[in-house]
Amino acid sequence: MVAPTLPTNETERLASLYQMHLLDTPADATFDRIVRLARQHFHVPMAFISLIDSERQWFKSTLGFKLRTWPRNQSFCGHTILQQQTLIIPDTLNDERFAKNPLVTGPPDIRFYAGHPLLNHEGYAVGTLALLDIVPRDLSLEELQSLHDLVDWVETELWVRDLAHTQRDLLAELDEIRRESYIDPMLRTWNHHAIEDILQREVAKASRDQRTLAAMLVNFDQFDVIRAQYDAAVAEAVLFEAADRIRHAIRSYDAIGHWQGAQFLVIFPSPGGERVKAIGEKVRNQLLSRPLEIDQSTIPLHASMGLVAVDFQHGQPTCNNILDKLQLALRQAQRTGPDQIIRIDLP
């Protein structure tokens, strides 16, 4: 058996974990639901969500696995949080790290393990979602994607429990008529006025809490050409599809709004240092994943993106400062070429 090493950012990782106030808390129906779905979907006898403390692995939700804690130096998941991808052990007896592990040589007799690290809002790997079986097996590419979908769900729940909900606060302040005036009726996103309001609120909150904030301005290249070549209905369909793809690439409490023309403003509260790096790529990959098929025409979705990342521990930029830098980053991306992302860090 090989004990897992410590992450290079262990001190910061633990501090971030403790700030979540999730260790040693009561059972949670949402996490239990995710674990139940995982066990049913993958047809495994055991599944769990765990957090990795300094000396122990603590299980937030388990099914078929009765332990509540386990020594970290004997854990599978201690290895999992050291990497960014899913750790899959098709047969534990063929892996020197785990062949002599007490969980393998005795009850529950683990022979298969698949675990994926869970990142909190600051981008630290604080825990895992794991599947266990008593017989050797593997995961198909389709099953691996399903596991990643469940991981995204767990991470969203972790973030929701830790962050204030600026968008919810905004909705709570509005009556039904004013709510409608804040929504773009065609695209089902926030409109320009609303997304600017949300940005101002998130800037104030990030400044007060000394947290990070990221924003992205997405411009759909060649939209004028599309609008000239096709009718208005096709142009609207392109924007609607673009908004929908962006929505699927971001977290549930990130905000997307129709800024102007063929531009969208996307706001990412507390993305964390590691998250900022992946934000633009995830949105771009979603947009470029496939062309839009409409009216027997194939229309690719090309976009230029300006990304601004702000750390309010080192400066206090205003909402206008951020918007100015977003426009600058977008112009640089458009000059660089199609489907480019230019990032500017503030301060």
Side-chain angles (χ1 to χ4, degrees), residues 271-324:
E274 295 302 317
R275 285 279 171 185
V276 170
K277 297 177 183 178
I279 282 174
E281 289 297 332
K282 190 171 184 180
V283 172
R284 179 169 62 182
N285 290 342
Q286 188 72 25
L287 292 171
L288 297 178
S289 60
R290 65 189 186 281
L292 175 61
E293 303 287 344
I294 184 169
D295 288 349
Q296 299 181 336
S297 298
T298 300
I299 304 175
L301 297 178
H302 295 292
S304 299
M305 287 167 270
L307 174 64
V308 171
V310 187
D311 184 349
F312 282 91
Q313 290 184 342
H314 300 100
Q316 298 293 317
T318 66
C319 182
N320 287 336
N321 294 148
I322 294 172
L323 288 173
D324 287 344

Side-chain angles (χ1 to χ4, degrees), residues 219-233:
N219 182 82
F220 284 89
D221 303 325
Q222 301 179 328
F223 183 73
D224 288 340
V225 175
I226 294 172
R227 188 165 49 186
Q229 184 174 352
Y230 302 94
D231 59 27

Side-chain angles (χ1 to χ4, degrees), residues 17 32 34 52 56 100 124 166 177 180 191 213 245 260 271 275 300:
L17 170 64
D32 290 346
I34 296 172
I52 307 299
R56 61 174 178 154
K100 296 183 179 180
Y124 293 103
T166 302
I177 295 177
E180 292 181 0
N191 61 22
L213 177 71
R245 292 191 189 186
Q260 62 181 6
R275 285 279 171 185

